[in-house]
């Protein structure tokens, strides 16, 4: 649902107050076109905002959403691939989806309210209760959320301390990591214990954190090419160089932040201020030991997603010697991507930018490094294989 919030203010059915239903992917397995949390809104007149699969299941979802609005209740629809029935609604890619469909206005899903809170800040989370009890909670700062201190979550879960503790163990990692997931909890026990037929508490979590940061050090041709590539991947891009004559050039104005400072001093200050985290990537393109060595010493002491440094094999060996002389451990040096980038045969600055961003993507994916290659030379599922059941957080806690 979070992916649609920015569009609510201009979507005519929402603005005019039409009844709507929201369809959300809450579980997925195999090759699927969209991730968990992707939503689609359907108005009472059949207008659509968003997409779940690029066309494979949308027609069936619209019909189910219209029926849900007619009945006034939520429903769960499953879609997969049927080799026996070529005309069955499903995913031709072979994946599986579970789509939860719920009329708005019920269970805390008021579009006017969601539209209001969505514009408050870039960091936001939505916790929806999908079982019969219903309800929803908006979390304005998911990175710092604590289930134990949330009165809203307590109310959503019925105020049971045991359920809240169980929820905290699963909700907080999703919220803090900016991820989506389905959580199922054992129902609260009454005086005689929970009834065997009691419905589990089912929560769906969507968490949106501020954009991760890409820090590019080096105002040169390679930095200029990497800047738009980083923005294309959704990073908040900072370009930093100690030399005003270089950093003040107009070709770097597209950066979200343009800084003239010694690289190591700037990174240390940002870390001290809490403005870098485990999602931050650092790309050292200065190719100058007086900048590179102190900067890498600082970067390798931090918990960062990626640290890469440009240079030849010879420069790399000299850089490693310099860092070892400063007391950097072999373990820390193992996290350094140097020379930077995947071996794609890149030569031009634009090609090198593709090489660097490809390595960043590869470094954050779940596959081992040895698994990378052309898709045409591989076999098996393209995406990490799971089933809708496996994509849920531990079913009972």
């Amino acid at each position: 649902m979070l992916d649609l919030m920015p569009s609510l203010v201009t979507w005519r059915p929402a603005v005019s107050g039409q009844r709507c239903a929201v369809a959300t992917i809450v579980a997925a397995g195999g090759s699927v076109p969209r991730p968990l949390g992707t939503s689609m809104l359907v108005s009472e007149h059949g207008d659509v905002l968003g997409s779940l699969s690029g066309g494979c299941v949308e027609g069936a979802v619209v019909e189910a959403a219209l029926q849900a609005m007619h009945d006034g209740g939520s429903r769960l629809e499953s879609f997969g691939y049927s080799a026996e029935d070529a005309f069955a609604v499903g995913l031709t890619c072979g994946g599986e989806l579970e789509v939860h469909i719920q009329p708005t206005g019920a269970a805390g899903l008021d579009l006017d309210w969601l539209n209001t809170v969505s514009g408050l800040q870039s960091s936001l989370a939505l916790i929806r209760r999908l079982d019969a009890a219903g309800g929803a909670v908006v979390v304005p700062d998911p990175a710092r959320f604590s289930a134990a201190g949330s009165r809203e979550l307590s109310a959503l879960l019925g105020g049971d301390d045991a359920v809240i503790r169980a929820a905290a163990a699963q909700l907080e990692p999703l919220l803090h990591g900016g991820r989506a997931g389905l959580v199922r909890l054992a129902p609260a026990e009454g005086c005689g214990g929970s009834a065997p037929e009691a419905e589990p508490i089912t929560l769906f979590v969507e968490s949106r954190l501020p954009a991760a940061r890409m820090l590019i050090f080096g105002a040169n041709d390679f930095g200029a090419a990497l800047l738009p590539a980083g923005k294309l991947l959704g990073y908040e891009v900072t370009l930093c160089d100690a030399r005003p004559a270089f950093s003040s050039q107009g070709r770097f104005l597209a950066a979200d932040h343009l800084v003239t400072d010694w690289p190591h001093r700037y990174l240390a200050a940002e870390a001290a201020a809490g403005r870098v985290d485990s999602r931050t990537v650092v790309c050292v393109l200065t190719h100058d030991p007086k900048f590179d060595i102190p900067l890498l010493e600082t970067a390798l002491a931090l918990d960062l997603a990626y640290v890469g440094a440009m240079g030849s094999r010879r420069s790399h060996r000299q850089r490693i010697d310099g860092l070892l002389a400063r007391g950097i451990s072999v373990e820390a040096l193992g996290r350094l991507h140097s020379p930077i980038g995947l071996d794609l045969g890149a030569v031009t600055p634009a090609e090198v930018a593709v090489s660097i961003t490809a390595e960043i993507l590869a470094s954050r994916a779940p596959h081992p490094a040895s698994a990378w290659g052309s898709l045409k030379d591989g076999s098996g599922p393209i995406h990490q294989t799971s089933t809708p059941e496996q994509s849920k957080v531990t079913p009972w806690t």
Side-chain angles (χ1 to χ4, degrees):
M1 187 62 194
L2 293 182
D3 57 326
L4 299 182
M5 282 184 173
S7 303
L8 293 179
V9 69
T10 58
W11 193 49
R12 185 175 297 276
V15 174
S16 62
Q18 292 184 32
R19 290 187 305 145
C20 299
V22 58
T24 304
I25 298 175
V26 296
S31 294
V32 292
R34 303 298 303 278
L36 293 184
T38 301
S39 294
M40 184 174 85
L41 272 170
V42 180
S43 78
E44 60 183 302
H45 299 307
D47 297 306
V48 172
L49 176 66
S51 172
L52 299 183
S53 70
C56 298
V57 303
E58 273 73 6
V61 170
V62 169
E63 289 185 16
L66 293 173
Q67 190 63 48
M69 283 184 274
H70 180 268
D71 298 341
S74 62
R75 59 181 60 199
L76 187 67
E77 299 284 345
S78 298
F79 301 96
Y81 173 72
S82 173
E84 292 76 24
D85 186 355
F87 296 99
V89 175
L91 300 169
T92 57
C93 54
E96 299 173 83
L97 291 178
E98 286 189 5
V99 179
H100 181 265
I101 301 171
Q102 182 180 45
T104 58
L109 274 182
D110 180 83
L111 291 186
D112 290 335
W113 173 63
L114 292 175
N115 187 31
T116 299
V117 299
S118 69
L120 296 178
Q121 57 191 70
S122 59
S123 182
L124 193 70
L126 180 64
I127 304 173
R128 295 159 54 192
R129 184 162 176 175
L130 304 187
D131 56 90
V137 170
V138 169
V139 179
D141 189 6
R144 295 178 175 83
F145 177 79
S146 171
S150 173
R151 288 179 295 179
E152 294 81 4
L153 181 64
S154 177
L156 183 69
L157 297 177
D160 186 273
D161 289 340
V163 174
I164 293 170
R165 286 194 298 271
Q170 302 183 48
L171 290 175
E172 290 179 359
L174 293 171
L175 293 167
H176 298 169
R179 297 181 288 128
L182 192 64
V183 174
R184 298 180 70 204
L185 304 165
E189 294 186 359
C191 296
S194 60
E197 68 276 7
E199 182 184 15
I201 296 171
T202 305
L203 305 174
F204 187 72
V205 184
E206 300 172 74
S207 180
R208 180 183 70 199
L209 300 181
R213 298 187 66 187
M214 173 182 282
L215 307 182
I216 301 173
F217 296 95
N220 51 37
D221 292 343
F222 296 99
L226 183 57
L227 194 160
K231 292 178 72 70
L232 183 64
L233 292 182
Y235 286 102
E236 178 183 318
V237 180
T238 296
L239 189 135
C240 175
D241 198 293
R243 301 159 296 184
F246 291 85
S247 61
S248 61
Q249 297 177 43
R251 59 180 174 159
F252 302 120
L253 293 178
D256 296 295
H257 307 281
L258 194 55
V259 177
T260 302
D261 198 354
W262 277 80
H264 72 284
R265 186 166 60 193
Y266 172 74
L267 179 58
E270 291 297 285
R275 289 190 287 266
V276 299
D277 58 28
S278 60
R279 302 177 300 143
T280 301
V281 303
V282 168
C283 301
V284 181
L285 311 181
T286 43
H287 202 235
D288 186 331
K290 71 175 178 289
F291 297 127
D292 295 357
I293 299 300
L295 173 58
L296 291 172
E297 180 182 14
T298 303
L300 292 173
L302 300 173
D303 180 20
L304 303 175
Y306 174 92
V307 180
M310 176 176 282
S312 65
R313 300 285 184 190
R314 180 174 180 272
S315 296
H316 170 69
R317 290 192 295 270
Q318 293 175 337
R319 184 182 294 137
I320 293 299
D321 290 342
L323 291 168
L324 287 171
R326 286 175 173 254
I328 304 300
S329 69
V330 174
E331 180 184 7
L333 291 173
R335 301 196 304 272
L336 174 61
H337 296 266
S338 174
I340 197 170
L342 291 186
D343 186 2
L344 306 179
V347 176
T348 68
E351 292 169 348
V352 171
V354 172
S355 168
I356 294 171
T357 52
E359 185 174 51
I360 291 171
L361 289 175
S363 70
R364 71 189 195 193
H367 307 288
S370 59
W372 297 107
S374 177
L375 288 173
K376 74 178 182 65
D377 296 326
S379 62
I382 293 176
H383 302 290
Q384 186 179 22
T385 301
S386 62
T387 66
E389 194 64 32
Q390 290 170 334
S391 71
K392 303 170 186 176
V393 184
T394 306
W396 290 89
T397 300

